[in-house]
Amino acid sequence: QVFEALVQVGMNGAALALFVGLVRGEGSDPTYGIPFSSALMSAQPELAARLALLSAVVKVRVSRASRQMARRAAGE
């Protein structure tokens, strides 16, 4: 899951880097491609779901680790 999320986010970054000239156009674009980036993310609901799942897993693991560290400190 982590690898898939990293690859998909990396590919989004590569797409943004390749098309930055098209997004900015001839003039100076003050948004720096934010609308294009938002559209790219909204077109990938599976990426949002994957990131939400990974976020939940990380939250649980951090919570467990912090409880274990707190027990050790209290027992010393």
Side-chain angles (χ1 to χ4, degrees):
Q1 287 282 336
V2 172
F3 180 73
E4 289 175 2
L6 287 174
V7 168
Q8 195 165 0
V9 169
M11 293 302 290
N12 285 348
L16 288 172
L18 288 173
F19 296 111
V20 72
L22 296 174
V23 172
R24 288 188 60 138
E26 293 294 322
S28 177
D29 180 15
T31 65
Y32 296 101
I34 293 172
F36 179 72
S37 177
S38 296
L40 188 60
M41 287 296 292
S42 66
Q44 301 175 51
E46 70 280 355
L47 177 59
R50 184 175 292 127
L51 292 175
L53 175 67
L54 289 173
S55 174
V57 169
V58 168
K59 185 177 179 180
V60 168
R61 290 190 180 183
V62 167
S63 177
R64 281 188 203 151
S66 65
R67 279 186 263 142
Q68 287 176 349
M69 288 172 55
R71 274 192 229 131
R72 277 190 238 144
E76 291 179 6

